[in-house]
Amino acid sequence: MARLLLIRHGQASFGADDYDALSELGHEQARALGRVLAARGFAPGLVLRGTMRRHEETLDGILEGLGASIPLVTDPGWNEFDFQHVVEIHRPSFRDRAAMMAELNLSERPDRAFQEVFDAATLRWSSGGHDVEYAESFTAFRDRVATALKEVSTLLRQHRDILAVSSGGPIAMAATLLTVGPEAPATLWAALNRVSVNTGVTKVIAGRSGLSLSTFNEHTHTETAPGLLTYR
């Protein structure tokens, strides 16, 4: 059977001027995963990624760890939804980055404070009751990921194994679509998205009946060194 490994990007730079750039830890997470995949003998015939900087830098680190040069395809269908836009619609004051950081820093755990705002913002977005306010509705996001899955299914017929780098939102949506389908409640997607680990590995198997989810968010490679396991 052909295999698709969906990889969430490494830790990005929360609170920095460019969130999309990987942190130093994010780079090491990617290299660590590449080394583990190499030790397992995983040799993809194609690598695929979204078009975001964190996807590109994560894939570069994985390939460095793998010690391999592999043909590349990019697909914006695997890009993350614009969570900053979603958060700003819910909390307009966060359009001012300085104001956002000042508010978050009032908390002992700014990352957890942001997560609470993020959860409320995505709940509103995914409810479907305010679609006209968003550049990309939750339904449009779901359909975009469904299309990306169809396209990668075609690629799997040509390449036995594919490694793809994406983000937590699209990977959680892919898992939701492959297990329940488009009728799944948004709460399932939200629950999967919330527990996604940086450089977590989700395995999809391509068989005669189509694509099937095999594993979700596997991250034993983050146990190779202290501090590699992160969620943000």
Side-chain angles (χ1 to χ4, degrees):
M1 292 186 180
R3 296 175 294 177
L4 167 67
L5 296 191
L6 286 171
I7 314 296
R8 188 192 177 198
H9 61 79
Q11 185 189 64
S13 299
F14 179 77
D17 289 338
D18 186 1
Y19 170 84
D20 205 27
L22 291 192
S23 64
E24 286 303 315
L25 178 57
H27 285 289
E28 180 51 35
Q29 289 168 332
R31 290 189 292 266
L33 175 57
R35 292 191 293 267
V36 168
L37 292 176
R40 294 175 182 172
F42 182 71
L46 182 75
V47 290
L48 170 70
R49 62 169 173 80
T51 61
M52 308 179 89
R53 179 176 177 179
R54 55 189 181 271
H55 301 156
E56 180 179 5
E57 292 184 354
T58 299
L59 182 57
D60 287 345
I62 293 172
L63 292 176
E64 180 182 335
L66 272 175
S69 177
I70 303 166
L72 166 69
V73 170
T74 61
D75 181 356
W78 290 105
N79 286 355
E80 185 63 283
F81 67 95
D82 189 347
F83 72 86
Q84 291 179 327
H85 170 65
V86 169
V87 167
E88 289 168 4
I89 293 294
H90 173 69
R91 186 72 67 85
S93 62
F94 277 21
R95 291 175 180 145
D96 183 326
R97 183 175 172 277
M100 179 186 75
M101 294 309 300
E103 179 178 332
L104 295 176
N105 285 329
L106 293 175
S107 171
E108 292 183 2
R109 288 292 304 272
D111 56 338
R112 290 184 179 176
F114 181 80
Q115 185 65 47
E116 291 178 1
V117 175
F118 176 86
D119 289 345
T122 53
L123 178 63
R124 184 180 190 275
W125 173 59
S126 63
S127 71
H130 313 275
D131 286 356
V132 297
E133 299 180 33
Y134 298 99
E136 181 181 47
S137 69
F138 183 75
T139 299
F141 167 67
R142 182 198 65 200
D143 293 346
R144 168 164 65 85
V145 176
T147 297
L149 276 173
K150 289 180 181 178
E151 292 178 356
V152 83
S153 180
T154 300
L155 290 173
L156 281 165
R157 298 189 191 103
Q158 306 165 34
H159 308 275
R160 185 174 182 274
D161 290 323
I162 295 176
L163 183 150
V165 177
S166 181
S167 292
I171 294 172
M173 180 56 73
T176 299
L177 291 169
L178 291 171
T179 51
V180 179
E183 70 278 9
T187 50
L188 173 59
W189 167 80
L192 293 175
N193 188 37
R194 201 175 197 283
V195 299
S196 294
V197 169
N198 291 123
T199 62
V201 181
T202 293
K203 184 191 294 184
V204 177
I205 300 298
R208 292 181 180 177
S209 59
L211 300 182
S212 301
L213 184 69
S214 177
T215 61
F216 175 73
N217 200 36
E218 186 272 318
H219 52 274
T220 53
H221 62 280
T222 63
E223 300 169 358
T224 59
L228 281 184
L229 177 60
T230 60
Y231 293 84
R232 304 290 180 261

mmCIF file of all heavy atoms in Angstrom, residues 141-187:
data_model
loop_
_atom_site.group_PDB
_atom_site.id
_atom_site.type_symbol
_atom_site.label_atom_id
_atom_site.label_comp_id
_atom_site.label_asym_id
_atom_site.label_seq_id
_atom_site.Cartn_x
_atom_site.Cartn_y
_atom_site.Cartn_z
ATOM 1 N N PHE A 141 -12.797 26.197 4.090
ATOM 2 C CA PHE A 141 -11.560 25.565 4.565
ATOM 3 C C PHE A 141 -11.667 24.050 4.481
ATOM 4 O O PHE A 141 -10.768 23.373 3.969
ATOM 5 C CB PHE A 141 -11.286 26.021 6.000
ATOM 6 C CG PHE A 141 -10.236 25.230 6.726
ATOM 7 C CD1 PHE A 141 -8.911 25.281 6.334
ATOM 8 C CD2 PHE A 141 -10.578 24.451 7.821
ATOM 9 C CE1 PHE A 141 -7.928 24.546 7.012
ATOM 10 C CE2 PHE A 141 -9.618 23.721 8.505
ATOM 11 C CZ PHE A 141 -8.293 23.770 8.101
ATOM 12 N N ARG A 142 -12.784 23.511 4.951
ATOM 13 C CA ARG A 142 -12.999 22.060 4.878
ATOM 14 C C ARG A 142 -12.946 21.572 3.441
ATOM 15 O O ARG A 142 -12.291 20.560 3.138
ATOM 16 C CB ARG A 142 -14.356 21.723 5.486
ATOM 17 C CG ARG A 142 -14.696 20.225 5.510
ATOM 18 C CD ARG A 142 -16.175 20.016 5.707
ATOM 19 N NE ARG A 142 -16.941 20.538 4.578
ATOM 20 C CZ ARG A 142 -18.230 20.851 4.625
ATOM 21 N NH1 ARG A 142 -18.910 20.732 5.743
ATOM 22 N NH2 ARG A 142 -18.840 21.312 3.534
ATOM 23 N N ASP A 143 -13.593 22.286 2.539
ATOM 24 C CA ASP A 143 -13.612 21.884 1.136
ATOM 25 C C ASP A 143 -12.226 21.985 0.505
ATOM 26 O O ASP A 143 -11.866 21.162 -0.361
ATOM 27 C CB ASP A 143 -14.606 22.741 0.361
ATOM 28 C CG ASP A 143 -16.055 22.494 0.785
ATOM 29 O OD1 ASP A 143 -16.306 21.490 1.484
ATOM 30 O OD2 ASP A 143 -16.919 23.314 0.427
ATOM 31 N N ARG A 144 -11.461 22.985 0.929
ATOM 32 C CA ARG A 144 -10.088 23.134 0.409
ATOM 33 C C ARG A 144 -9.230 21.925 0.782
ATOM 34 O O ARG A 144 -8.473 21.399 -0.047
ATOM 35 C CB ARG A 144 -9.470 24.428 0.950
ATOM 36 C CG ARG A 144 -7.978 24.549 0.724
ATOM 37 C CD ARG A 144 -7.497 25.969 0.911
ATOM 38 N NE ARG A 144 -7.609 26.505 2.248
ATOM 39 C CZ ARG A 144 -6.705 26.331 3.219
ATOM 40 N NH1 ARG A 144 -5.659 25.544 3.011
ATOM 41 N NH2 ARG A 144 -6.863 26.922 4.395
ATOM 42 N N VAL A 145 -9.350 21.490 2.030
ATOM 43 C CA VAL A 145 -8.566 20.326 2.471
ATOM 44 C C VAL A 145 -9.051 19.060 1.771
ATOM 45 O O VAL A 145 -8.246 18.193 1.394
ATOM 46 C CB VAL A 145 -8.628 20.176 4.002
ATOM 47 C CG1 VAL A 145 -7.904 18.908 4.454
ATOM 48 C CG2 VAL A 145 -8.007 21.395 4.683
ATOM 49 N N ALA A 146 -10.356 18.944 1.565
ATOM 50 C CA ALA A 146 -10.895 17.783 0.844
ATOM 51 C C ALA A 146 -10.323 17.717 -0.570
ATOM 52 O O ALA A 146 -9.972 16.630 -1.066
ATOM 53 C CB ALA A 146 -12.422 17.853 0.802
ATOM 54 N N THR A 147 -10.207 18.864 -1.215
ATOM 55 C CA THR A 147 -9.622 18.906 -2.555
ATOM 56 C C THR A 147 -8.150 18.518 -2.518
ATOM 57 O O THR A 147 -7.665 17.781 -3.387
ATOM 58 C CB THR A 147 -9.779 20.314 -3.154
ATOM 59 O OG1 THR A 147 -11.177 20.614 -3.296
ATOM 60 C CG2 THR A 147 -9.112 20.410 -4.518
ATOM 61 N N ALA A 148 -7.413 19.009 -1.508
ATOM 62 C CA ALA A 148 -5.994 18.660 -1.374
ATOM 63 C C ALA A 148 -5.816 17.162 -1.182
ATOM 64 O O ALA A 148 -4.874 16.557 -1.715
ATOM 65 C CB ALA A 148 -5.378 19.437 -0.218
ATOM 66 N N LEU A 149 -6.719 16.543 -0.424
ATOM 67 C CA LEU A 149 -6.662 15.091 -0.234
ATOM 68 C C LEU A 149 -6.884 14.354 -1.548
ATOM 69 O O LEU A 149 -6.207 13.354 -1.836
ATOM 70 C CB LEU A 149 -7.703 14.647 0.792
ATOM 71 C CG LEU A 149 -7.335 14.741 2.269
ATOM 72 C CD1 LEU A 149 -8.552 14.433 3.128
ATOM 73 C CD2 LEU A 149 -6.184 13.800 2.615
ATOM 74 N N LYS A 150 -7.827 14.817 -2.353
ATOM 75 C CA LYS A 150 -8.070 14.181 -3.650
ATOM 76 C C LYS A 150 -6.842 14.285 -4.548
ATOM 77 O O LYS A 150 -6.477 13.326 -5.250
ATOM 78 C CB LYS A 150 -9.278 14.830 -4.327
ATOM 79 C CG LYS A 150 -10.612 14.503 -3.680
ATOM 80 C CD LYS A 150 -11.761 15.179 -4.417
ATOM 81 C CE LYS A 150 -13.093 14.874 -3.763
ATOM 82 N NZ LYS A 150 -14.227 15.570 -4.438
ATOM 83 N N GLU A 151 -6.209 15.437 -4.526
ATOM 84 C CA GLU A 151 -5.037 15.639 -5.377
ATOM 85 C C GLU A 151 -3.860 14.772 -4.925
ATOM 86 O O GLU A 151 -3.121 14.225 -5.751
ATOM 87 C CB GLU A 151 -4.659 17.118 -5.384
ATOM 88 C CG GLU A 151 -5.705 17.978 -6.105
ATOM 89 C CD GLU A 151 -5.390 19.456 -6.080
ATOM 90 O OE1 GLU A 151 -4.396 19.845 -5.433
ATOM 91 O OE2 GLU A 151 -6.131 20.234 -6.716
ATOM 92 N N VAL A 152 -3.683 14.638 -3.607
ATOM 93 C CA VAL A 152 -2.578 13.802 -3.131
ATOM 94 C C VAL A 152 -2.872 12.329 -3.383
ATOM 95 O O VAL A 152 -1.950 11.518 -3.579
ATOM 96 C CB VAL A 152 -2.283 14.077 -1.642
ATOM 97 C CG1 VAL A 152 -3.204 13.309 -0.718
ATOM 98 C CG2 VAL A 152 -0.834 13.737 -1.302
ATOM 99 N N SER A 153 -4.150 11.967 -3.420
ATOM 100 C CA SER A 153 -4.511 10.585 -3.744
ATOM 101 C C SER A 153 -4.042 10.227 -5.150
ATOM 102 O O SER A 153 -3.543 9.118 -5.401
ATOM 103 C CB SER A 153 -6.032 10.410 -3.629
ATOM 104 O OG SER A 153 -6.412 9.094 -3.940
ATOM 105 N N THR A 154 -4.171 11.187 -6.060
ATOM 106 C CA THR A 154 -3.684 10.975 -7.423
ATOM 107 C C THR A 154 -2.167 10.824 -7.436
ATOM 108 O O THR A 154 -1.618 9.951 -8.137
ATOM 109 C CB THR A 154 -4.101 12.152 -8.330
ATOM 110 O OG1 THR A 154 -5.534 12.240 -8.351
ATOM 111 C CG2 THR A 154 -3.571 11.977 -9.735
ATOM 112 N N LEU A 155 -1.477 11.651 -6.673
ATOM 113 C CA LEU A 155 -0.011 11.579 -6.615
ATOM 114 C C LEU A 155 0.467 10.253 -6.036
ATOM 115 O O LEU A 155 1.513 9.730 -6.437
ATOM 116 C CB LEU A 155 0.534 12.740 -5.776
ATOM 117 C CG LEU A 155 0.409 14.138 -6.387
ATOM 118 C CD1 LEU A 155 0.823 15.198 -5.371
ATOM 119 C CD2 LEU A 155 1.255 14.248 -7.649
ATOM 120 N N LEU A 156 -0.306 9.693 -5.110
ATOM 121 C CA LEU A 156 0.095 8.432 -4.496
ATOM 122 C C LEU A 156 0.068 7.273 -5.489
ATOM 123 O O LEU A 156 0.727 6.257 -5.285
ATOM 124 C CB LEU A 156 -0.811 8.115 -3.297
ATOM 125 C CG LEU A 156 -0.479 8.886 -2.015
ATOM 126 C CD1 LEU A 156 -1.637 8.776 -1.018
ATOM 127 C CD2 LEU A 156 0.815 8.387 -1.377
ATOM 128 N N ARG A 157 -0.682 7.408 -6.557
ATOM 129 C CA ARG A 157 -0.685 6.362 -7.583
ATOM 130 C C ARG A 157 0.626 6.365 -8.366
ATOM 131 O O ARG A 157 0.993 5.361 -8.972
ATOM 132 C CB ARG A 157 -1.871 6.572 -8.544
ATOM 133 C CG ARG A 157 -3.230 6.486 -7.884
ATOM 134 C CD ARG A 157 -4.336 6.471 -8.923
ATOM 135 N NE ARG A 157 -5.645 6.643 -8.304
ATOM 136 C CZ ARG A 157 -6.334 7.774 -8.310
ATOM 137 N NH1 ARG A 157 -5.854 8.832 -8.958
ATOM 138 N NH2 ARG A 157 -7.515 7.864 -7.719
ATOM 139 N N GLN A 158 1.315 7.509 -8.349
ATOM 140 C CA GLN A 158 2.571 7.639 -9.087
ATOM 141 C C GLN A 158 3.797 7.456 -8.189
ATOM 142 O O GLN A 158 4.859 7.059 -8.656
ATOM 143 C CB GLN A 158 2.627 9.023 -9.736
ATOM 144 C CG GLN A 158 1.431 9.357 -10.606
ATOM 145 C CD GLN A 158 1.358 10.840 -10.921
ATOM 146 O OE1 GLN A 158 2.375 11.511 -11.062
ATOM 147 N NE2 GLN A 158 0.151 11.373 -11.032
ATOM 148 N N HIS A 159 3.637 7.736 -6.904
ATOM 149 C CA HIS A 159 4.753 7.672 -5.954
ATOM 150 C C HIS A 159 4.301 6.844 -4.757
ATOM 151 O O HIS A 159 3.350 7.216 -4.064
ATOM 152 C CB HIS A 159 5.163 9.070 -5.496
ATOM 153 C CG HIS A 159 5.422 10.027 -6.615
ATOM 154 N ND1 HIS A 159 6.641 10.115 -7.257
ATOM 155 C CD2 HIS A 159 4.598 10.934 -7.218
ATOM 156 C CE1 HIS A 159 6.565 11.053 -8.193
ATOM 157 N NE2 HIS A 159 5.340 11.553 -8.197
ATOM 158 N N ARG A 160 4.974 5.770 -4.491
ATOM 159 C CA ARG A 160 4.505 4.829 -3.475
ATOM 160 C C ARG A 160 4.370 5.473 -2.105
ATOM 161 O O ARG A 160 3.414 5.222 -1.378
ATOM 162 C CB ARG A 160 5.457 3.636 -3.395
ATOM 163 C CG ARG A 160 4.974 2.549 -2.442
ATOM 164 C CD ARG A 160 5.851 1.321 -2.498
ATOM 165 N NE ARG A 160 5.354 0.282 -1.615
ATOM 166 C CZ ARG A 160 5.656 0.211 -0.337
ATOM 167 N NH1 ARG A 160 6.451 1.106 0.211
ATOM 168 N NH2 ARG A 160 5.152 -0.761 0.412
ATOM 169 N N ASP A 161 5.331 6.309 -1.736
ATOM 170 C CA ASP A 161 5.306 6.971 -0.430
ATOM 171 C C ASP A 161 5.530 8.459 -0.613
ATOM 172 O O ASP A 161 6.424 8.880 -1.359
ATOM 173 C CB ASP A 161 6.393 6.406 0.498
ATOM 174 C CG ASP A 161 6.089 4.982 0.943
ATOM 175 O OD1 ASP A 161 4.901 4.683 1.177
ATOM 176 O OD2 ASP A 161 7.026 4.181 1.055
ATOM 177 N N ILE A 162 4.722 9.254 0.097
ATOM 178 C CA ILE A 162 4.832 10.709 0.037
ATOM 179 C C ILE A 162 4.924 11.257 1.451
ATOM 180 O O ILE A 162 4.197 10.816 2.351
ATOM 181 C CB ILE A 162 3.624 11.335 -0.685
ATOM 182 C CG1 ILE A 162 3.595 10.908 -2.153
ATOM 183 C CG2 ILE A 162 3.640 12.860 -0.577
ATOM 184 C CD1 ILE A 162 2.378 11.418 -2.915
ATOM 185 N N LEU A 163 5.811 12.217 1.640
ATOM 186 C CA LEU A 163 5.904 12.953 2.902
ATOM 187 C C LEU A 163 5.420 14.373 2.638
ATOM 188 O O LEU A 163 5.890 15.033 1.715
ATOM 189 C CB LEU A 163 7.349 12.960 3.415
ATOM 190 C CG LEU A 163 7.615 13.628 4.770
ATOM 191 C CD1 LEU A 163 8.796 12.965 5.468
ATOM 192 C CD2 LEU A 163 7.881 15.134 4.631
ATOM 193 N N ALA A 164 4.448 14.829 3.417
ATOM 194 C CA ALA A 164 3.862 16.146 3.208
ATOM 195 C C ALA A 164 3.919 16.957 4.495
ATOM 196 O O ALA A 164 3.585 16.452 5.572
ATOM 197 C CB ALA A 164 2.411 16.022 2.751
ATOM 198 N N VAL A 165 4.336 18.209 4.396
ATOM 199 C CA VAL A 165 4.402 19.106 5.550
ATOM 200 C C VAL A 165 3.268 20.115 5.459
ATOM 201 O O VAL A 165 3.102 20.797 4.446
ATOM 202 C CB VAL A 165 5.752 19.832 5.627
ATOM 203 C CG1 VAL A 165 5.773 20.816 6.798
ATOM 204 C CG2 VAL A 165 6.888 18.822 5.779
ATOM 205 N N SER A 166 2.495 20.195 6.522
ATOM 206 C CA SER A 166 1.350 21.092 6.561
ATOM 207 C C SER A 166 1.264 21.719 7.953
ATOM 208 O O SER A 166 2.280 21.929 8.609
ATOM 209 C CB SER A 166 0.073 20.311 6.205
ATOM 210 O OG SER A 166 -1.064 21.133 6.205
ATOM 211 N N SER A 167 0.052 22.006 8.388
ATOM 212 C CA SER A 167 -0.191 22.628 9.688
ATOM 213 C C SER A 167 -1.249 21.843 10.448
ATOM 214 O O SER A 167 -1.925 20.968 9.886
ATOM 215 C CB SER A 167 -0.651 24.080 9.509
ATOM 216 O OG SER A 167 0.374 24.897 9.006
ATOM 217 N N GLY A 168 -1.418 22.199 11.721
ATOM 218 C CA GLY A 168 -2.339 21.460 12.569
ATOM 219 C C GLY A 168 -3.777 21.479 12.069
ATOM 220 O O GLY A 168 -4.467 20.457 12.104
ATOM 221 N N GLY A 169 -4.235 22.642 11.601
ATOM 222 C CA GLY A 169 -5.619 22.752 11.142
ATOM 223 C C GLY A 169 -5.941 21.854 9.972
ATOM 224 O O GLY A 169 -6.908 21.063 10.030
ATOM 225 N N PRO A 170 -5.186 21.922 8.865
ATOM 226 C CA PRO A 170 -5.465 21.041 7.728
ATOM 227 C C PRO A 170 -5.297 19.559 8.050
ATOM 228 O O PRO A 170 -6.066 18.726 7.550
ATOM 229 C CB PRO A 170 -4.448 21.494 6.671
ATOM 230 C CG PRO A 170 -4.139 22.907 7.027
ATOM 231 C CD PRO A 170 -4.187 22.943 8.527
ATOM 232 N N ILE A 171 -4.302 19.216 8.874
ATOM 233 C CA ILE A 171 -4.098 17.806 9.205
ATOM 234 C C ILE A 171 -5.255 17.290 10.051
ATOM 235 O O ILE A 171 -5.763 16.176 9.833
ATOM 236 C CB ILE A 171 -2.742 17.601 9.908
ATOM 237 C CG1 ILE A 171 -1.602 17.908 8.926
ATOM 238 C CG2 ILE A 171 -2.621 16.181 10.455
ATOM 239 C CD1 ILE A 171 -0.222 17.923 9.562
ATOM 240 N N ALA A 172 -5.708 18.087 11.009
ATOM 241 C CA ALA A 172 -6.865 17.695 11.816
ATOM 242 C C ALA A 172 -8.104 17.564 10.936
ATOM 243 O O ALA A 172 -8.931 16.660 11.135
ATOM 244 C CB ALA A 172 -7.108 18.710 12.924
ATOM 245 N N MET A 173 -8.241 18.445 9.949
ATOM 246 C CA MET A 173 -9.378 18.353 9.044
ATOM 247 C C MET A 173 -9.275 17.104 8.172
ATOM 248 O O MET A 173 -10.288 16.413 7.932
ATOM 249 C CB MET A 173 -9.469 19.600 8.163
ATOM 250 C CG MET A 173 -10.644 19.588 7.189
ATOM 251 S SD MET A 173 -12.267 19.354 7.993
ATOM 252 C CE MET A 173 -12.449 20.990 8.743
ATOM 253 N N ALA A 174 -8.087 16.795 7.690
ATOM 254 C CA ALA A 174 -7.905 15.578 6.898
ATOM 255 C C ALA A 174 -8.290 14.350 7.714
ATOM 256 O O ALA A 174 -8.985 13.455 7.215
ATOM 257 C CB ALA A 174 -6.458 15.471 6.419
ATOM 258 N N ALA A 175 -7.866 14.300 8.970
ATOM 259 C CA ALA A 175 -8.203 13.170 9.834
ATOM 260 C C ALA A 175 -9.708 13.087 10.059
ATOM 261 O O ALA A 175 -10.301 12.000 10.068
ATOM 262 C CB ALA A 175 -7.472 13.295 11.169
ATOM 263 N N THR A 176 -10.346 14.239 10.219
ATOM 264 C CA THR A 176 -11.796 14.279 10.408
ATOM 265 C C THR A 176 -12.530 13.769 9.171
ATOM 266 O O THR A 176 -13.457 12.955 9.264
ATOM 267 C CB THR A 176 -12.236 15.723 10.712
ATOM 268 O OG1 THR A 176 -11.601 16.162 11.924
ATOM 269 C CG2 THR A 176 -13.737 15.812 10.884
ATOM 270 N N LEU A 177 -12.100 14.220 8.005
ATOM 271 C CA LEU A 177 -12.744 13.803 6.757
ATOM 272 C C LEU A 177 -12.555 12.313 6.496
ATOM 273 O O LEU A 177 -13.457 11.640 5.989
ATOM 274 C CB LEU A 177 -12.187 14.621 5.589
ATOM 275 C CG LEU A 177 -12.565 16.100 5.562
ATOM 276 C CD1 LEU A 177 -11.741 16.839 4.509
ATOM 277 C CD2 LEU A 177 -14.053 16.271 5.289
ATOM 278 N N LEU A 178 -11.381 11.791 6.835
ATOM 279 C CA LEU A 178 -11.077 10.392 6.550
ATOM 280 C C LEU A 178 -11.749 9.432 7.525
ATOM 281 O O LEU A 178 -11.899 8.244 7.218
ATOM 282 C CB LEU A 178 -9.562 10.171 6.575
ATOM 283 C CG LEU A 178 -8.786 10.830 5.426
ATOM 284 C CD1 LEU A 178 -7.287 10.726 5.670
ATOM 285 C CD2 LEU A 178 -9.158 10.196 4.087
ATOM 286 N N THR A 179 -12.145 9.924 8.700
ATOM 287 C CA THR A 179 -12.769 9.041 9.693
ATOM 288 C C THR A 179 -14.283 9.170 9.729
ATOM 289 O O THR A 179 -14.996 8.170 9.815
ATOM 290 C CB THR A 179 -12.200 9.298 11.097
ATOM 291 O OG1 THR A 179 -12.273 10.707 11.390
ATOM 292 C CG2 THR A 179 -10.755 8.845 11.195
ATOM 293 N N VAL A 180 -14.786 10.393 9.674
ATOM 294 C CA VAL A 180 -16.232 10.618 9.783
ATOM 295 C C VAL A 180 -16.816 11.138 8.473
ATOM 296 O O VAL A 180 -17.884 10.705 8.041
ATOM 297 C CB VAL A 180 -16.554 11.592 10.933
ATOM 298 C CG1 VAL A 180 -18.061 11.840 11.024
ATOM 299 C CG2 VAL A 180 -16.022 11.047 12.262
ATOM 300 N N GLY A 181 -16.112 12.066 7.839
ATOM 301 C CA GLY A 181 -16.600 12.636 6.594
ATOM 302 C C GLY A 181 -16.988 14.092 6.765
ATOM 303 O O GLY A 181 -16.877 14.663 7.856
ATOM 304 N N PRO A 182 -17.466 14.718 5.698
ATOM 305 C CA PRO A 182 -17.779 16.152 5.753
ATOM 306 C C PRO A 182 -18.916 16.500 6.704
ATOM 307 O O PRO A 182 -19.070 17.664 7.080
ATOM 308 C CB PRO A 182 -18.150 16.485 4.297
ATOM 309 C CG PRO A 182 -18.540 15.181 3.697
ATOM 310 C CD PRO A 182 -17.687 14.152 4.362
ATOM 311 N N GLU A 183 -19.704 15.493 7.110
ATOM 312 C CA GLU A 183 -20.800 15.749 8.038
ATOM 313 C C GLU A 183 -20.348 15.768 9.493
ATOM 314 O O GLU A 183 -21.155 16.019 10.407
ATOM 315 C CB GLU A 183 -21.902 14.689 7.868
ATOM 316 C CG GLU A 183 -21.533 13.293 8.350
ATOM 317 C CD GLU A 183 -20.717 12.477 7.354
ATOM 318 O OE1 GLU A 183 -20.270 13.046 6.332
ATOM 319 O OE2 GLU A 183 -20.529 11.276 7.601
ATOM 320 N N ALA A 184 -19.065 15.541 9.752
ATOM 321 C CA ALA A 184 -18.542 15.511 11.120
ATOM 322 C C ALA A 184 -18.744 16.857 11.803
ATOM 323 O O ALA A 184 -18.625 17.917 11.183
ATOM 324 C CB ALA A 184 -17.061 15.161 11.105
ATOM 325 N N PRO A 185 -19.054 16.856 13.098
ATOM 326 C CA PRO A 185 -19.198 18.124 13.812
ATOM 327 C C PRO A 185 -17.864 18.855 13.903
ATOM 328 O O PRO A 185 -16.801 18.229 13.996
ATOM 329 C CB PRO A 185 -19.687 17.693 15.204
ATOM 330 C CG PRO A 185 -19.194 16.286 15.360
ATOM 331 C CD PRO A 185 -19.248 15.688 13.980
ATOM 332 N N ALA A 186 -17.927 20.170 13.865
ATOM 333 C CA ALA A 186 -16.699 20.964 13.948
ATOM 334 C C ALA A 186 -15.956 20.733 15.253
ATOM 335 O O ALA A 186 -14.745 20.928 15.323
ATOM 336 C CB ALA A 186 -17.038 22.446 13.789
ATOM 337 N N THR A 187 -16.671 20.278 16.276
ATOM 338 C CA THR A 187 -16.023 20.024 17.565
ATOM 339 C C THR A 187 -14.986 18.907 17.464
ATOM 340 O O THR A 187 -14.007 18.906 18.205
ATOM 341 C CB THR A 187 -17.062 19.671 18.635
ATOM 342 O OG1 THR A 187 -17.926 18.632 18.135
ATOM 343 C CG2 THR A 187 -17.899 20.881 19.003
#
